[in-house]
Amino acid sequence: YTSSKCKGSSSISSDISSSTDHTPTKAPKNVATTEGLDSSTRTLSTPSPGLILPSKSSSLSSPALSSNGHETNSSSSSSAPAETVAVIHPQPGTHTRSRQSKTHHYAPIDLLPDHTLLQIFSHLSTNQLCRCARVCRRWYNLAWDPRLWSTIQLTGELLHADRAIRVLTHRLCQDTPNICLTLETVVVNGCKRLTDRGLHVVAQCCPELRRLEVAGCYNISNEAVFEVVSRCPNLEHLNLSGCSKVTCISLTQEASLQLSPLHGQQISIHYLDMTDCFSLEDEGLRTIASHCPRLTHLYLRRCTRLTDEALRHLALHCPSVRELSLSDCRLVGDFGLREVARLEGCLRYLSVAHCTRITDVGMRYVARYCPRLRYLNARGCEGLTDHGLSHLARSCPRLKSLDVGKCPLVSDSGLEQLAMYCQGLRRVSLRACESVTGRGLKALAANCCELQLLNVQDCEVSPEALRFVRRHCRRCVIEHTNPAFY
């Protein structure tokens, strides 16, 4: 009998509460000496619990059965009472062994080959993999196969994220000294106890890192971010949303000195989310733009200190931006949109929701220089009128999604222009547009047959107009507040 359980594993639930090294150890084998095939055997080591015979400690001798079935007193039974009595199974091939093999059962999953178990394990999360490593020795070895560890994903506000990252990377670095060559993605969103120490470990141990998400980790500072982008040259996706202490992204001074003049101080990030980074200012965005010229996706929602000047540097250094969100950046106005329009044919997604300084003037620049625009969110831009909507419709015929909710100056005339030139529209939000009536909705429904979502909540539209939309756009979901329409 051999114990197959693995002692201590690297599961998150155990490693966070203990810092011991979890290495599977072999169970000690029983050592026994036989005196004869027809007599009981005494051992000097403790055998498996299932093989221990019950004995009476009160008597120095125990009765035994003779070959004729009568009780006799065995002289050998009067020896040292501290010894343990065990049974040695007969030789292979006997009837006793075959009877025992029938009672030994294997779990069905144990019959699966290693490659099948690896395929199953590849669909498990980080925490689930660590739990599997605690089942048995075989699962321990399979669960820590480097091919399963291209991603580490941790969650939980109370999780000791620094310690969890340190334990995981230490285990993954056993085959290669202090380097996790297979680890490409680290996601620790919402782990509020993550600090710069955890990111320092990531920077030192994960040179092949391509994706890092630390959304909501408000204890992260510039220093840790600088070290990550300096030590991980392949980093492409960085989510810092909610990291209010981060004010900039740049290389460390040491990394900058090591770069050649031909390479420049460039960071290979393509995707950057700095939503709710309240401390980000124009100078910080200028530094980001100059160091990240390959940016294609940039989200700056609620970075309330940014002004039009920051967008000038963005358009100058990052000409490949395809998606840009400036929602709730209330200091951005028409001049900022003029700079954004310099991105020309690359821009596909633009959000300027609640940028109250934007008017038809800025929208005209976007319409003129960004003809490939697919998505526009101008909700809450109260200076936008039918005139700006008309420019947009004529110049951006590929528009798929439009949100002009809470724009009180948008009326049926603007919707008729949209219906005429943007017949591929699929999502339209007109929430709280007080000037919109059934006439504009009918024009949209008659020309935009691919419409999938129409939001007319808090709009004065009749049930008849809504039924007209439903008849002409059968796949359209209508969000409304009219109790007469059902």
Side-chain angles (χ1 to χ4, degrees):
Y1 177 85
T2 303
S3 176
S4 63
K5 289 198 175 179
C6 201
K7 199 174 180 184
S9 83
S10 304
S11 76
I12 297 302
S13 57
S14 62
D15 285 334
I16 292 175
S17 59
S18 173
S19 59
T20 57
D21 184 18
H22 302 287
T23 305
T25 57
K26 222 171 186 178
K29 294 184 178 180
N30 301 327
V31 180
T33 57
T34 60
E35 296 178 355
L37 295 177
D38 56 346
S39 64
S40 62
T41 305
R42 301 184 182 277
T43 93
L44 300 179
S45 65
T46 305
S48 301
L51 301 180
I52 297 176
L53 291 177
S55 60
K56 297 181 180 179
S57 57
S58 58
S59 61
L60 296 177
S61 62
S62 58
L65 291 178
S66 64
S67 58
N68 57 5
H70 298 285
E71 280 190 7
T72 61
N73 288 331
S74 173
S75 61
S76 63
S77 62
S78 62
S79 58
E83 291 182 338
T84 306
V85 182
V87 172
I88 297 297
H89 295 292
Q91 295 293 329
T94 63
H95 179 68
T96 306
R97 169 138 185 202
S98 63
R99 183 182 303 171
Q100 183 195 4
S101 63
K102 290 181 182 180
T103 61
H104 188 74
H105 299 286
Y106 289 94
I109 197 169
D110 289 336
L111 303 178
L112 296 177
D114 288 353
H115 67 86
T116 303
L117 280 177
L118 284 175
Q119 184 66 25
I120 295 174
F121 287 176
S122 66
H123 298 281
L124 302 181
S125 64
T126 300
N127 194 34
Q128 291 170 336
L129 268 180
C130 292
R131 290 180 182 274
C132 286
R134 305 180 67 183
V135 173
C136 63
R137 188 164 310 188
R138 181 193 178 199
W139 281 33
Y140 180 91
N141 294 328
L142 291 176
W144 288 110
D145 190 299
R147 290 170 292 181
L148 300 177
W149 290 92
S150 62
T151 299
I152 287 179
Q153 185 170 1
L154 305 175
T155 57
E157 295 183 0
L158 302 179
L159 177 69
H160 292 272
D162 293 344
R163 188 174 186 177
I165 290 175
R166 186 176 69 251
V167 171
L168 288 172
T169 53
H170 176 74
R171 177 58 183 82
L172 294 173
C173 290
Q174 286 190 356
D175 297 332
T176 53
N178 300 324
I179 294 178
C180 305
L181 293 177
T182 60
L183 191 57
E184 297 182 350
T185 301
V186 174
V187 179
V188 285
N189 293 332
C191 296
K192 297 182 179 180
R193 302 182 71 171
L194 179 71
T195 66
D196 289 352
R197 292 191 297 271
L199 282 194
H200 287 320
V201 173
V202 172
Q204 294 170 4
C205 299
C206 308
E208 299 299 323
L209 191 68
R210 294 181 178 274
R211 184 186 185 110
L212 175 63
E213 297 188 17
V214 290
C217 302
Y218 48 74
N219 291 317
I220 299 299
S221 68
N222 286 344
E223 181 183 354
V225 175
F226 289 2
E227 185 172 3
V228 169
V229 298
S230 299
R231 289 177 173 266
C232 305
N234 298 323
L235 187 66
E236 298 178 348
H237 184 114
L238 180 59
N239 186 348
L240 297 172
S241 59
C243 299
S244 54
K245 293 183 180 179
V246 177
T247 61
C248 182
I249 294 177
S250 177
L251 296 173
T252 60
Q253 185 176 3
E254 180 183 358
S256 300
L257 294 176
Q258 294 176 355
L259 293 176
S260 63
L262 293 177
H263 182 273
Q265 297 183 6
Q266 294 186 1
I267 301 173
S268 60
I269 294 177
H270 294 176
Y271 179 105
L272 178 60
D273 191 344
M274 297 192 69
T275 298
D276 294 321
C277 291
F278 308 116
S279 301
L280 180 64
E281 298 181 352
D282 291 351
E283 184 62 24
L285 186 58
R286 184 192 67 79
T287 304
I288 292 173
S290 61
H291 284 82
C292 306
R294 303 179 186 178
L295 275 177
T296 58
H297 297 68
L298 179 60
Y299 304 95
L300 303 170
R301 306 178 188 94
R302 292 179 291 281
C303 294
T304 53
R305 299 186 181 184
L306 295 179
T307 67
D308 295 337
E309 180 65 19
L311 299 181
R312 186 174 67 87
H313 295 291
L314 179 65
L316 181 63
H317 296 287
C318 303
S320 302
V321 173
R322 295 169 57 88
E323 296 192 9
L324 176 63
S325 177
L326 301 168
S327 298
D328 294 284
C329 296
R330 300 182 183 275
L331 299 181
V332 173
D334 291 333
F335 180 78
L337 277 194
R338 178 178 177 270
E339 297 300 320
V340 169
R342 294 171 59 185
L343 297 171
E344 297 183 355
C346 291
L347 199 62
R348 301 288 189 276
Y349 172 107
L350 177 62
S351 177
V352 289
H354 305 291
C355 296
T356 54
R357 297 189 178 189
I358 290 177
T359 66
D360 292 341
V361 177
M363 199 58 62
R364 190 185 305 123
Y365 283 114
V366 172
R368 182 184 302 174
Y369 296 106
C370 304
R372 297 184 180 180
L373 195 65
R374 300 286 193 278
Y375 175 98
L376 176 64
N377 185 354
R379 173 180 293 188
C381 296
E382 298 179 355
L384 183 62
T385 69
D386 291 336
H387 187 63
L389 212 56
S390 176
H391 280 287
L392 188 69
R394 293 172 183 270
S395 302
C396 303
R398 301 182 183 181
L399 201 62
K400 299 294 183 183
S401 180
L402 177 66
D403 189 343
V404 288
K406 298 184 179 180
C407 294
L409 301 180
V410 171
S411 66
D412 294 335
S413 299
L415 296 185
E416 289 173 347
Q417 293 292 315
L418 282 174
M420 185 179 302
Y421 296 102
C422 301
Q423 298 184 2
L425 276 172
R426 296 182 180 179
R427 302 172 67 91
V428 178
S429 178
L430 304 169
R431 182 170 185 170
C433 289
E434 303 169 356
S435 302
V436 171
T437 67
R439 191 187 79 189
L441 295 188
K442 290 180 179 180
L444 277 178
N447 292 276
C448 304
C449 300
E450 299 181 11
L451 202 61
Q452 298 177 0
L453 177 64
L454 178 63
N455 188 338
V456 288
Q457 293 177 338
D458 302 319
C459 294
E460 297 295 333
V461 292
S462 63
E464 179 187 357
L466 297 179
R467 294 189 186 97
F468 184 90
V469 173
R470 186 167 61 183
R471 284 198 304 271
H472 286 76
C473 305
R474 295 186 177 277
R475 296 183 179 180
C476 182
V477 176
I478 304 174
E479 296 179 355
H480 65 92
T481 52
N482 193 327
F485 176 73
Y486 53 90

